Amino acid sequence: MPAYRSPSRRLKRSRRALLAAGALGSAAALVLTATGPAAAAPPDPDEPVRPGQAWMGAGTRIEQGPSSSVPGGVTPMDTSGVQGVDVSHWQGAINWGSVKAAGIDFAYMKATEGTSFKDSRFSANYTGSYNAGLIRGAYHFARPDVSNGATQAGYFASNGGGWSKDGKTLPGVLDIEHNPYGAMCYGLSTTQMRTWINDFYNTYKARTTRDVVIYTTASWWNTCTGSWTGMSAKSPLWVAHWGTSSPNIPAGFPTWTIWQYTATGRVSGVSGDVDRNKFNGSPARLQALADNTA
């Protein structure tokens, strides 16, 4: 037979439980408040990336490892010449005036992913960087496992990836890298991947008149396209290779146009780590790329 507990004892226990729950709730609220700004950081390497939440380098991190970048700095990588950043919602609110004053000349920001995801910070980043005087452009995180390339190119072009000859808009980027959600090559054969990329290119070209820039790594490209040389004469290359003084180039491409040399750079105006990039040329050549006179 259960022991008898008086109503007063039960009431006291209930009050203690409520107080404890309240204390825990307050502590949780404090934790959430304290970690709010840090929530802009991408998931740790051992945490899953949710669909729609990938960023430029999410797959590169799997391939090259976070240790290939120097936390909190970019030494000994090349920070000379024409410098840029790439961002997404993970960077949170950005002071683009401070970014420009820090010597950054260009920026790319995530616009879309797959066929249904739009980056929540794209509009703010696209407008803010333009108003601060940077030359900027948009990128699409490819999902060859969810639709064909033509469909995704159309989605990108309609949702931030367009181009206008205003002197401040760079051609769009096809971000195609190690799959952060599953199989490295998204379940496609090398032949299927070549078709996917070519369809994306052709549709984007028809929609915008521009050759899409391809962001990738030598390892992913050589593995998943079978060292395909078919894009080398059509698309500028944005190569990702962290923590080295000279990047490895995917098969077929003569050189790089942009090099993402670290994922843990720092720039005034951006809270925490940010991808740092170098343009392979002078400011005049960057302007020519924007103007489509390169």
Side-chain angles (χ1 to χ4, degrees), residues 28-54:
L30 286 171
V31 169
L32 288 172
T33 301
T35 59
D44 289 334
D46 57 349
E47 295 178 358
V49 179
R50 292 180 298 165
Q53 299 297 303

Side-chain angles (χ1 to χ4, degrees), residues 13-32:
R13 291 172 66 90
S14 297
R15 285 175 177 167
R16 285 198 299 270
L18 286 171
L19 288 171
L24 287 171
S26 298
L30 286 171
V31 169
L32 288 172

Side-chain angles (χ1 to χ4, degrees), residues 90-178:
W90 289 113
Q91 274 68 46
I94 295 173
N95 184 328
W96 285 105
S98 294
V99 172
K100 176 67 174 176
I104 299 301
D105 300 297
F106 69 96
Y108 269 100
M109 53 277 312
K110 182 182 179 182
T112 52
E113 176 178 331
T115 58
S116 57
F117 295 105
K118 302 176 187 178
D119 192 85
S120 60
R121 295 290 309 175
F122 173 72
S123 294
N125 286 332
Y126 203 64
T127 302
S129 57
Y130 178 92
N131 290 338
L134 281 85
I135 299 177
R136 83 312 189 221
Y139 75 83
H140 173 81
F141 193 93
R143 290 293 305 277
D145 54 331
V146 300
S147 81
N148 60 48
T151 298
Q152 292 192 34
Y155 182 70
F156 176 45
S158 297
N159 293 282
W163 177 79
S164 59
K165 193 172 182 177
D166 56 7
K168 291 292 185 68
T169 305
L170 292 162
V173 175
L174 171 60
D175 174 357
I176 190 157
E177 55 184 294
H178 194 297

Side-chain angles (χ1 to χ4, degrees), residues 187-233:
L188 272 61
S189 67
T190 55
T191 300
Q192 290 171 327
M193 188 62 76
R194 293 179 183 187
T195 298
W196 195 99
I197 294 169
N198 199 54
D199 286 348
F200 189 103
Y201 170 87
N202 287 333
T203 301
Y204 185 80
K205 176 88 169 183
R207 287 287 304 272
T208 67
T209 74
R210 296 304 306 269
D211 296 324
V212 72
V213 178
I214 291 178
Y215 168 96
T216 193
T217 68
S219 177
W220 187 91
W221 186 267
N222 294 343
T223 299
C224 296
T225 73
S227 299
W228 185 35
T229 62
M231 298 304 296
S232 60

